[in-house]
Amino acid sequence: MKILLTGGAGYIGSHTAVELDAAGFEVVIADNFSNSSPIVLERLETITGKRFPLYEIDVADKTALRRVFEENEIGAVIHFAGYKAVGESVSIPLSYYRNNIDSTLSLMEVMAEFGCKNLVFSSSATVYGNRAKLPFDEEAKTGPCTNPYGWTKLFIEQIITDYAKANGDFSSVLLRYFNPVGAHESGLIGEDPKDVPNNLMPYIARVAVGTLPFLSVYGNDYPTPDGTGVRDYIHVTDLAKGHVAAVKYVLEKKGNEIFNLGTGKGISVLEMVKAYSEACGHEVGYKIAPRRPGDIAECYANAEKAEKILGWKVELGLSEMCRDSWNWQSKNPEGYK
Ligand code: WQD
């Protein structure tokens, strides 16, 4: 029995493949490489000693997806595949709604055709919008989302929830990621955004390795201890292990649940800059810039539910996040190119 990772060559997917393999699961990857590289499969082979079966397909293509299920006995699916750039989603909303929702509906219809009833979905803390009380917990009211990307995640959560209600033997886990950062300890896989990174950690990494001149700190007048934005950064390896726990949960047919995957700790932009400077051994240059539209001051998780029900908790802290990010970036200054 195998675990299918849609978007499995991506940042979170590839790290999850490593941890699933380490936990004794057989991994199958489906990816169209729209935001990932085929080189990842070679790197995964170096790390695990295994060449995972790869289907270079668009998950929305049901004919192609059926072949995956015909050729492999898929026990559970982790659905990573989807567009995920917040800013881009504002400028091309229809592409985001079409791609992210279509691929999910196609996946769930093909799963039903083959009797696969176990699904883990890659959701996001962005579904909490900016009304929920801190720390965000899974019972908090969701929305309104501040961008189409976030709405696609919330709509897909609703689709899965409604389907589970109508199909008693279906088991699902919705994982709400906070801010995934860092890289596998080998430095062979890591975050490789297309173009100039939108997110903080990969941007700092590019400044540290010298491919970008300095970091613009988007606002230092927030109601936070040092005035800069506070987020819940989680090491991608801890996040990957959370997916292993979620796969075990759905396979044991324990029902349908939502879990935050975060540390429960907020770190500011300037604290991140300081920690990264220590990790790379030189100052990361920055300038204070105006606030970024749509940003909220603080966002961090109540991470207790995943610990209580999944038996999962984070093991890696800020210094390991920066150490491993720097190890990846300094060994791969141009990413997978
Ligand atoms: C973090 C902090 C910025 C860049 C986004 C998505 C979310 C999730 C994670 C997918 C903020 C500040 C950033 C820069 C800066 N993605 N910043 N200069 O916005 O919390 O969350 O990524 O699920 O859905 O919304 O992450 O890394 O962009 O920003 O000062 O060049 O860093 O203002 O305070 P964010 P981020």
Side-chain angles (χ1 to χ4, degrees):
M1 182 256 288
K2 300 173 184 174
I3 311 299
L4 170 61
L5 307 186
T6 71
Y11 175 43
I12 317 289
S14 55
H15 285 81
T16 301
V18 169
E19 299 307 327
L20 282 169
D21 175 67
F25 289 100
E26 274 192 81
V27 168
V28 176
I29 289 176
D31 204 304
N32 66 2
F33 300 122
S34 64
N35 190 22
S36 56
S37 166
I39 295 171
V40 169
L41 278 291
E42 295 159 30
R43 301 289 179 92
L44 288 174
E45 186 172 8
T46 305
I47 293 170
T48 66
K50 295 186 184 101
R51 186 79 183 196
F52 298 130
L54 166 74
Y55 291 81
E56 187 174 350
I57 62 168
D58 186 331
V59 174
D61 176 351
K62 290 172 76 169
T63 307
L65 196 53
R66 285 191 186 98
R67 201 159 58 81
V68 181
F69 284 82
E70 280 154 5
E71 296 176 1
N72 302 276
E73 194 214 333
I74 305 294
V77 179
I78 308 182
H79 184 33
F80 293 105
Y83 297 160
K84 63 163 194 167
V86 167
E88 185 184 56
S89 77
V90 175
S91 47
I92 51 170
L94 291 187
S95 302
Y96 270 68
Y97 288 118
R98 171 62 70 190
N99 181 70
N100 291 4
I101 295 171
D102 243 10
S103 57
T104 304
L105 292 173
S106 297
L107 171 66
M108 293 178 72
E109 288 170 341
V110 171
M111 285 176 71
E113 287 174 24
F114 287 84
C116 181
K117 304 174 189 302
N118 304 307
L119 176 61
V120 176
F121 174 59
S122 165
S123 190
S124 166
T126 204
V127 303
Y128 288 116
N130 52 14
R131 271 184 333 173
K133 197 170 59 58
L134 285 168
F136 294 164
D137 75 45
E138 293 85 347
E139 304 316 313
K141 267 193 77 51
T142 52
C145 297
T146 55
N147 54 77
Y149 159 77
W151 282 117
T152 68
K153 291 297 186 183
L154 193 51
F155 292 160
I156 294 167
E157 286 196 359
Q158 191 61 52
I159 289 166
I160 295 170
T161 302
D162 289 344
Y163 184 79
K165 281 191 191 123
N167 296 272
D169 56 355
F170 188 80
S171 192
S172 67
V173 163
L174 309 178
L175 295 176
R176 290 176 179 169
Y177 306 163
F178 279 71
N179 289 57
V181 294
H184 185 261
E185 59 188 3
S186 64
L188 287 167
I189 54 175
E191 190 169 11
D192 182 23
K194 289 186 297 192
D195 317 320
V196 176
N198 294 303
N199 294 143
L200 180 68
M201 177 70 104
Y203 201 105
I204 289 177
R206 297 274 178 91
V207 172
V209 82
T211 52
L212 286 171
F214 61 87
L215 169 76
S216 297
V217 175
Y218 295 144
N220 66 346
D221 58 349
Y222 283 104
T224 60
D226 64 17
T228 63
V230 168
R231 295 293 184 276
D232 185 334
Y233 298 97
I234 175 171
H235 196 294
V236 64
T237 294
D238 279 328
L239 191 79
K241 290 178 178 172
H243 287 73
V244 176
V247 162
K248 290 176 180 169
Y249 183 92
V250 293
L251 288 175
E252 287 157 17
K253 285 280 165 232
K254 290 189 177 165
N256 299 279
E257 278 294 354
I258 298 173
F259 297 106
N260 287 337
L261 291 187
T263 66
K265 216 170 127 9
I267 299 283
S268 77
V269 174
L270 290 181
E271 285 172 320
M272 182 63 86
V273 168
K274 180 170 180 294
Y276 211 101
S277 299
E278 282 159 17
C280 69
H282 56 269
E283 284 308 306
V284 170
Y286 69 88
K287 290 180 182 160
I288 303 298
R291 290 184 178 190
R292 179 172 64 176
D295 271 353
I296 57 178
E298 290 191 277
C299 170
Y300 52 90
N302 175 331
E304 289 163 9
K305 184 179 176 186
E307 182 174 355
K308 218 169 27 238
I309 299 181
L310 292 181
W312 167 89
K313 73 189 297 263
V314 296
E315 296 159 25
L316 300 168
L318 182 59
S319 57
E320 289 89 356
M321 295 177 206
C322 295
R323 175 200 69 193
D324 294 341
S325 167
W326 174 240
N327 185 36
W328 150 256
Q329 197 69 56
S330 54
K331 287 177 177 168
N332 304 272
E334 299 298 323
Y336 291 115
K337 288 176 190 59

